Amino acid sequence: MPDPTRPRASLRTAVVWEVLQDALDRRVKATGRDALDVLDTGGGSGNFAVPLARLGHRVTVVDPSPNALFALERRAAEAGVADRVKGVQGDVLGLFDVVERGRHDVVLCHGVLEYVDDPAEGVRNTVAALRPEGVLSLLAAGLGGAVIARALAGHFTEARQALADPDGRWGTGDPMPRRFTAEQLTGLVEGAGLAVAAVHGVRVFADLVPGVLVDTEPGALDALLKLEAAAAELPAFHAVATQLHVLGETAGAAGA
């Protein structure tokens, strides 16, 4: 995922970044601490971790890829935040082999549940990593966006297959192991004991609009960003989004 602070990349990250920043601001206000402890599971090369560290927060990235962690170290150093970013090799299902339970104000789980054998266990682990007053940012591939994309490409049988498949896959050549509906993701979050604070559709239109239009038409990028933001919270568009973002809160954070 591109750096959420870069303009062109913001088409894919703007909604998540805005929701996440608001959640961080609320945690800062509630705790009275300027620097929060953030855990980024599957955070790779630091596309979210480094910008969060630039805001002054302490970020631990857990990722199974040594190459990604090496890139994270280099990116953090270049950004001048190496002292606030720590990378450790591991995954969400073995999370507590590498980090402590109950020590984080915010946990990010972005693009992880699609690839794990047990998504429910993955969510439970992220919740167990939170402090009694904490927030989970969960981002995963949406079923509806994939169905629409296959249909618009003329692959109607594959689109129908994705609808019928328990994992939302359109066939054996599908590179995505699993996709979710908004109801499935909120069910996982609530099943792990969190309250769902918000659900947003991500990349509702961005993947459908020709890139050349966005890049060449004056004002198109800004207008599309505003359209994405306006549609993100509307439940009708959750069903067609390429990705779904769920913000979960512990009972303590929800009451704060």
Side-chain angles (χ1 to χ4, degrees), residues 45 50 70-85:
S45 60
V50 170
F70 177 76
L72 167 71
E73 183 179 358
R74 184 176 58 203
R75 178 183 284 187
E78 291 173 352
V81 295
D83 59 327
R84 293 196 293 276
V85 177

Side-chain angles (χ1 to χ4, degrees), residues 177-253:
R178 187 182 292 107
R179 296 183 180 88
F180 300 87
T181 65
E183 291 75 19
Q184 287 172 331
L185 286 180
T186 56
L188 288 172
V189 170
E190 291 173 339
L194 297 188
V196 173
V199 180
H200 291 84
V202 180
R203 292 157 59 189
V204 175
F205 306 104
D207 291 351
L208 305 177
V209 176
V212 64
L213 175 74
V214 178
D215 291 333
T216 61
E217 187 71 21
L221 175 59
D222 185 58
L224 183 53
L225 282 169
K226 290 178 180 177
L227 177 61
E228 288 278 356
E233 291 189 66
L234 300 177
F237 290 99
H238 296 167
V240 297
T242 299
Q243 292 179 304
L244 294 162
H245 183 248
V246 178
L247 193 73
E249 297 180 337
T250 64

Side-chain angles (χ1 to χ4, degrees), residues 82-165:
D83 59 327
R84 293 196 293 276
V85 177
K86 175 185 177 183
V88 292
Q89 190 172 0
D91 60 53
V92 73
L93 296 186
L95 191 59
F96 302 114
D97 294 333
V98 293
V99 301
E100 294 185 59
R101 295 175 182 267
R103 296 294 299 272
H104 302 90
D105 300 290
V106 178
V107 174
L108 277 59
C109 185
H110 294 174
V112 172
L113 296 187
E114 298 93 325
Y115 299 95
V116 300
D117 292 333
D118 189 343
E121 182 184 353
V123 176
R124 287 194 297 270
N125 281 355
T126 63
V127 172
L130 288 169
R131 290 193 164 110
E133 295 183 359
V135 173
L136 169 66
S137 174
L138 178 64
L139 181 68
L143 170 63
V147 173
I148 290 176
R150 299 317 289 171
L152 289 179
H155 303 301
F156 307 122
T157 300
E158 291 179 352
R160 185 163 55 87
Q161 171 64 24
L163 279 174
D165 187 80

Side-chain angles (χ1 to χ4, degrees), residues 49-73:
V50 170
L52 288 172
R54 285 197 195 107
L55 295 176
H57 303 298
R58 296 177 292 269
V59 188
T60 299
V61 175
V62 175
D63 197 278
S65 168
N67 290 337
L69 294 174
F70 177 76
L72 167 71
E73 183 179 358

